[in-house]
Amino acid sequence: MTLESSSRPGRAAGSPAGEGETPSPAGGPEDLLQESEREPGHPPRQRTPVVAARRPGSWRSRFFRLEARTAPYLYISPFFLLFAVVGLFPLLYTAYVSVHQWSLLGGQGDFIGLDNYRRVLADRYFWNALRNTLSIFLLSSVPQVVIALCLAGLLDTQLRGRTLWRMSVMLPFVVAPAAVALIFGNVFGDRYGLANSVLEAIGVSGVAWHTDTLASHLAIASMVNWRWTGYNALIFLAAMQAVPRDLYESASLDGAGRVRQFVSITVPMIRPTLLFVIITSTIGGLQIFAEPRLFDTKGLGGSDRQYQTLTMYLWELGWRVRDLGMASAVAWLLFLIIVVFALVNLWLSHRAGSLSRGSRRTSRGRSRRRTPAPPTLEAP
């Protein structure tokens, strides 16, 4: 054995020069598989040249990486472009109008800073409209979400003709708001309304639904609840359909009743949907306009503005007083109020979720401590 043959890797000791070594077609031993990867009885295979096509510096690999990074943004860009045109631009333009003297007939005037906001906050009708809006919002949104959640829980059970029941809850939503106002205007009529007839039949004096503040808020809230409860119930039902059924089977085996399953399994599992419905109901409740506007024939929110909401106050400033500067200031104040309520709802929902998760961890820890350790076998 010569010194040259012993220094070459892969050559067996004592074998002649060139035995056990196959020359590479590409000209280098790195293009061949290792000896351990070769199959017995087959010639050595050449490595796949795909590696060369995926070189980091090639233009095709850079194009694929750029496409992977930008494609999601391109897919969602139409929505944001449309939002910028019909949502963001009106919002910014309303802020521009709110700091100017701006008449509906005379057009743009001088820049006055925050004077429109000061005039709005000093107007007692603004605070009256804000109080009415919050009252109607609480009377409509809170019962609406609770009833929709319970109704969706009933529709999620094995009812006979459940498809018919699920479709029927959607019927109030397809009725036009004007028709709803006509129907409930007859129901809550002061002299010949159906509600007063029922109250007088059981010995209770009639209610002045259009002049009493709280009664008018209840009547308007009932219109809102009748129209939107079924819609929210279907959203909850769609979320409940996605809850794994084996969770309910396991809870039944553990002895949990239907109410306990609904509270401990259904409600936590649909918490994101519940948060979505709460926020959308908050936005809709604070922007309520059609129902109080159509509750009487004049559309001013009552003889003493007892059910005039913020949107009706904004409409009165813009189209009756013809002061678009103050109307724009009211619109921005309403926007800020909605943002504050949405953030409070979001914080409360996360707080409730963290508390429920903490209580579950505590209960699991107590159950583990109470569970005795399994007996172990002693070594002989």
Side-chain angles (χ1 to χ4, degrees), residues 45-223:
R45 291 175 298 171
Q46 190 174 7
R47 290 187 182 276
T48 307
V50 176
V51 178
R54 293 181 179 175
R55 289 180 301 178
S58 65
W59 66 271
R60 184 172 295 179
S61 62
R62 288 198 299 270
F63 174 75
F64 286 147
R65 287 199 300 270
L66 181 63
E67 182 186 14
R69 292 175 181 175
T70 59
Y73 300 101
L74 292 177
Y75 292 150
I76 63 174
S77 60
F79 166 76
F80 288 100
L81 292 176
L82 187 63
F83 172 76
V85 174
V86 302
L88 185 60
F89 173 72
L91 189 65
L92 297 178
Y93 191 72
T94 303
Y96 176 77
V97 174
S98 67
V99 293
H100 288 80
Q101 284 184 344
W102 207 297
S103 173
L104 180 62
L105 300 178
Q108 183 178 358
D110 298 332
F111 175 78
I112 56 174
L114 300 179
D115 188 62
N116 282 327
Y117 293 91
R118 184 188 58 78
R119 292 167 58 196
V120 167
L121 294 176
D123 189 1
R124 67 182 181 90
Y125 291 132
F126 169 77
W127 297 105
N128 175 70
L130 179 61
R131 183 169 57 251
N132 294 335
T133 301
L134 295 179
S135 175
I136 296 174
F137 159 69
L138 292 175
L139 291 174
S140 60
S141 296
V142 176
Q144 180 187 138
V145 174
V146 174
I147 295 173
L149 189 61
C150 297
L151 187 60
L154 293 175
L155 293 175
D156 194 32
T157 58
Q158 299 297 326
L159 294 174
R160 285 188 177 182
R162 55 182 178 273
T163 303
L164 176 63
W165 293 111
R166 292 172 182 176
M167 292 178 60
S168 62
V169 300
M170 196 64 183
L171 286 178
F173 181 71
V174 301
V175 180
V180 176
L182 290 175
I183 295 171
F184 280 83
N186 291 323
V187 171
F188 294 104
D190 291 337
R191 297 183 60 183
Y192 306 107
L194 177 62
N196 278 344
S197 300
V198 173
L199 292 176
E200 292 172 357
I202 60 176
V204 180
S205 59
V207 178
W209 297 103
H210 286 80
T211 55
D212 186 74
T213 300
L214 181 59
S216 62
H217 292 181
L218 286 172
I220 294 171
S222 64
M223 296 166 60

Side-chain angles (χ1 to χ4, degrees), residues 96-380:
Y96 176 77
V97 174
S98 67
V99 293
H100 288 80
Q101 284 184 344
W102 207 297
S103 173
L104 180 62
L105 300 178
Q108 183 178 358
D110 298 332
F111 175 78
I112 56 174
L114 300 179
D115 188 62
N116 282 327
Y117 293 91
R118 184 188 58 78
R119 292 167 58 196
V120 167
L121 294 176
D123 189 1
R124 67 182 181 90
Y125 291 132
F126 169 77
W127 297 105
N128 175 70
L130 179 61
R131 183 169 57 251
N132 294 335
T133 301
L134 295 179
S135 175
I136 296 174
F137 159 69
L138 292 175
L139 291 174
S140 60
S141 296
V142 176
Q144 180 187 138
V145 174
V146 174
I147 295 173
L149 189 61
C150 297
L151 187 60
L154 293 175
L155 293 175
D156 194 32
T157 58
Q158 299 297 326
L159 294 174
R160 285 188 177 182
R162 55 182 178 273
T163 303
L164 176 63
W165 293 111
R166 292 172 182 176
M167 292 178 60
S168 62
V169 300
M170 196 64 183
L171 286 178
F173 181 71
V174 301
V175 180
V180 176
L182 290 175
I183 295 171
F184 280 83
N186 291 323
V187 171
F188 294 104
D190 291 337
R191 297 183 60 183
Y192 306 107
L194 177 62
N196 278 344
S197 300
V198 173
L199 292 176
E200 292 172 357
I202 60 176
V204 180
S205 59
V207 178
W209 297 103
H210 286 80
T211 55
D212 186 74
T213 300
L214 181 59
S216 62
H217 292 181
L218 286 172
I220 294 171
S222 64
M223 296 166 60
V224 178
N225 292 332
W226 184 80
R227 189 160 180 261
W228 289 98
T229 299
Y231 176 81
N232 291 329
L234 286 186
I235 295 178
F236 286 139
L237 178 62
M240 290 177 185
Q241 296 287 307
V243 178
R245 298 298 165 179
D246 53 351
L247 295 179
Y248 297 107
E249 295 175 0
S250 301
S252 299
L253 293 177
D254 291 339
R258 300 302 299 268
V259 177
R260 180 61 184 275
Q261 294 178 21
F262 183 78
V263 174
S264 300
I265 297 177
T266 304
V267 174
M269 292 294 290
I270 64 169
R271 196 169 66 89
T273 306
L274 184 63
L275 178 62
F276 168 77
V277 171
I278 290 175
I279 292 179
T280 54
S281 300
T282 302
I283 296 173
L286 294 176
Q287 292 180 342
I288 184 171
F289 178 78
E291 288 82 0
R293 177 78 170 82
L294 300 173
F295 191 56
D296 62 357
T297 56
K298 297 182 179 178
L300 297 178
S303 57
D304 195 23
R305 302 171 187 256
Q306 59 269 23
Y307 49 87
Q308 185 186 49
T309 60
L310 276 179
T311 51
M312 296 178 66
Y313 177 65
L314 186 154
W315 175 85
E316 183 182 5
L317 288 176
W319 274 261
R320 287 177 63 89
V321 184
R322 300 174 183 175
D323 190 342
L324 292 183
M326 288 187 65
S328 300
V330 174
W332 257 92
L333 289 174
L334 178 60
F335 171 73
L336 295 177
I337 291 171
I338 291 173
V339 170
V340 170
F341 269 81
L343 292 177
V344 170
N345 282 333
L346 186 64
W347 179 79
L348 289 176
S349 301
H350 282 291
R351 183 68 176 170
S354 61
L355 289 177
S356 62
R357 285 194 297 271
S359 62
R360 285 198 297 270
R361 292 194 191 100
T362 305
S363 61
R364 282 198 297 267
R366 290 175 180 174
S367 62
R368 287 171 183 170
R369 286 194 295 269
R370 291 172 183 173
T371 303
T376 57
L377 297 177
E378 297 181 357

